């Protein structure tokens, strides 16, 4: 048996806990990002990595961002993610314009706050490279999954715009103002950082591998309920099966206007008599 095929059991409790955390789970752990500074990174790229660190934790390598700078590809960022210990997607972006967090003098939201993500531009829905970039950015910045959201917890917005071959990244702080009614008036105040990016090279997973990475376990799939449907807005509709009813026997409120006329009564009596004769 080859040495790679043998299963090595952990010798300590600490090693056992570490391996258990790395095992596949129905609900995966929060994805963390590893920010890597290249040996030739200039001050601009270094500051970009520092500002991105404000929005993401620096830990294991399920997500990564690599910053570098050279003559052929100046002010370069590579953003990517891993699947099953292999690189799934990797996209190279060039920084054309950058405004740092520290250059915008106003209040900031607490570090690690969950953002709202907004994507504008047809390219994010039409072009395959931009679709993958959108999915990768959501993975990178969305933060932990939470069951409930309170209004006061919506503190900042990350806005991505795809226009004329460029990606504009903006960050805004959300201000809730008095509006004279229950729902507050919302204002956006630029917080930083601000980046103008251009798409360079891409290394994307094949369609089969991408579908495999997005596959949901059967245990997490919601069970289908019979005769229950939902519309686009989440409204639930139920279908009830009943026996056919004879509406002529339905008891209604007695009103003079609904009383039968003598001619109608005579016609009904005649119909009943004819039915009896046929049966006999």
């Amino acid at each position: 048996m080859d040495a790679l095929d043998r299963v090595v059991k952990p010798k300590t409790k600490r090693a056992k806990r570490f391996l258990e955390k790395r095992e596949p789970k129905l609900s995966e752990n929060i994805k963390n990002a590893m920010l890597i500074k290249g040996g030739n990174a200039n001050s601009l790229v270094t500051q970009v990595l520092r500002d991105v660190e404000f929005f993401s934790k620096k830990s294991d390598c399920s997500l990564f961002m690599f910053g570098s700078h050279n003559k052929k590809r100046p002010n370069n960022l590579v953003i990517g993610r891993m699947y099953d210990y292999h690189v799934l997607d990797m996209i190279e972006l060039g920084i054309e314009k950058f405004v740092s967090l520290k250059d915008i003098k106003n209040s900031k939201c607490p570090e690690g706050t969950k953002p709202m993500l907004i994507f504008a531009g047809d390219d994010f829905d039409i072009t395959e490279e931009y679709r993958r970039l959108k999915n990768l950015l959501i993975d990178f910045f969305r933060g932990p999954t939470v069951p409930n959201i309170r209004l006061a917890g919506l503190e900042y917005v990350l806005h991505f715009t795809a226009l004329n071959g460029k990606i504009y990244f903006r960050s805004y702080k959300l201000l809730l103002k008095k509006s004279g009614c229950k729902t507050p008036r919302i204002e956006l105040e630029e917080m930083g950082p601000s980046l103008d990016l251009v798409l360079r090279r891409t290394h994307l997973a094949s369609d089969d591998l991408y579908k495999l990475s997005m596959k949901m376990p059967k245990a997490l799939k919601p069970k289908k309920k019979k005769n229950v449907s939902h519309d686009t807005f989440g409204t639930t509709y139920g279908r009830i099966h009943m026996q056919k009813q004879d509406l002529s026997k339905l008891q209604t409120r007695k009103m003079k206007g609904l009383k039968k006329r003598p001619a109608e009564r005579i016609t009904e009596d005649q119909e009943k008599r004819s039915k009896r004769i046929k049966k006999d």
Side-chain angles (χ1 to χ4, degrees):
M1 182 183 287
D2 189 12
L4 294 174
D5 295 332
R6 291 197 301 267
V7 178
V8 180
K9 294 183 179 180
K11 295 180 180 180
T12 62
K13 290 183 178 180
R14 184 179 179 182
K16 185 179 179 181
R17 288 196 300 269
F18 175 79
L19 291 176
E20 286 176 350
K21 287 181 180 179
R22 301 298 294 271
E23 288 178 353
K25 302 178 180 65
L26 289 176
S27 298
E28 291 290 345
N29 299 330
I30 298 171
K31 290 185 178 181
N32 296 316
M34 180 170 62
L35 308 180
I36 308 167
K37 176 186 172 183
N40 55 351
N42 58 7
S43 58
L44 185 144
V45 173
T46 303
Q47 188 59 47
V48 170
L49 292 175
R50 286 175 181 169
D51 286 2
V52 171
E53 188 179 5
F54 180 82
F55 302 108
S56 58
K57 293 182 178 180
K58 196 173 182 181
S59 186
D60 59 23
C61 55
S62 53
L63 295 163
F64 63 89
M65 180 180 283
F66 176 78
S68 62
H69 174 77
N70 55 51
K71 189 175 181 180
K72 190 176 181 180
R73 292 184 181 85
N75 304 325
N76 205 50
L77 282 179
V78 177
I79 181 172
R81 55 186 165 185
M82 310 286 288
Y83 171 72
D84 196 21
Y85 305 102
H86 295 85
V87 175
L88 181 67
D89 290 326
M90 196 161 51
I91 297 177
E92 188 179 61
L93 302 168
I95 306 169
E96 293 193 342
K97 186 179 178 182
F98 172 61
V99 180
S100 176
L101 268 166
K102 63 182 181 180
D103 295 332
I104 300 176
K105 307 296 181 183
N106 56 18
S107 59
K108 314 296 181 186
C109 65
E111 186 174 351
T113 305
K114 186 176 175 66
M116 291 180 285
L117 304 179
I118 300 175
F119 291 86
D122 294 335
D123 287 336
F124 283 128
D125 298 318
I126 298 173
T127 311
E128 181 61 26
E129 290 181 341
Y130 279 85
R131 275 205 300 261
R132 292 285 185 94
L133 176 61
K134 176 183 176 180
N135 188 272
L136 181 55
L137 291 171
I138 291 173
D139 229 4
F140 205 92
F141 290 108
R142 69 179 178 181
T145 304
V146 292
N148 298 306
I149 298 174
R150 65 188 183 95
L151 187 61
L154 303 176
E155 296 191 49
Y156 78 101
V157 177
L158 296 182
H159 193 282
F160 301 91
T161 304
L163 182 66
N164 299 329
K166 294 185 179 181
I167 300 103
Y168 299 94
F169 169 47
R170 300 292 184 267
S171 176
Y172 301 97
K173 186 175 181 182
L174 198 70
L175 304 176
L176 303 178
K177 302 287 187 177
K178 292 182 178 179
S179 62
C181 59
K182 190 175 181 180
T183 305
R185 180 169 55 87
I186 297 172
E187 290 184 3
L188 297 179
E189 181 181 72
E190 191 168 2
M191 183 181 72
S194 169
L195 293 102
D196 293 356
L197 304 167
V198 61
L199 190 65
R200 288 178 177 168
R201 295 179 297 176
T202 60
H203 174 78
L204 304 179
S206 63
D207 292 338
D208 293 337
L209 181 59
Y210 184 71
K211 287 179 181 178
L212 182 63
S213 67
M214 301 289 287
K215 189 176 180 181
M216 182 182 291
K218 289 183 179 179
L220 291 180
K221 289 182 179 179
K223 294 182 179 179
K224 291 184 178 179
K225 295 182 179 179
K226 291 184 178 180
N227 304 319
V228 175
S229 60
H230 302 274
D231 63 8
T232 310
F233 304 101
T235 307
T236 304
Y237 296 95
R239 178 178 292 178
I240 300 174
H241 296 274
M242 298 178 64
Q243 294 180 353
K244 191 175 181 180
Q245 290 180 307
D246 186 0
L247 299 179
S248 63
K249 297 180 180 179
L250 186 67
Q251 183 66 39
T252 58
R253 187 178 176 184
K254 293 181 179 180
M255 295 176 61
K256 290 183 178 180
L258 297 177
K259 285 184 178 180
K260 293 180 180 179
R261 296 176 182 178
E264 292 177 349
R265 290 177 183 172
I266 295 170
T267 305
E268 282 188 2
D269 292 340
Q270 290 176 351
E271 288 178 355
K272 288 179 181 178
R273 287 173 186 172
S274 61
K275 286 180 181 180
R276 288 174 185 172
I277 294 168
K278 288 179 180 179
K279 286 180 180 179
D280 296 336

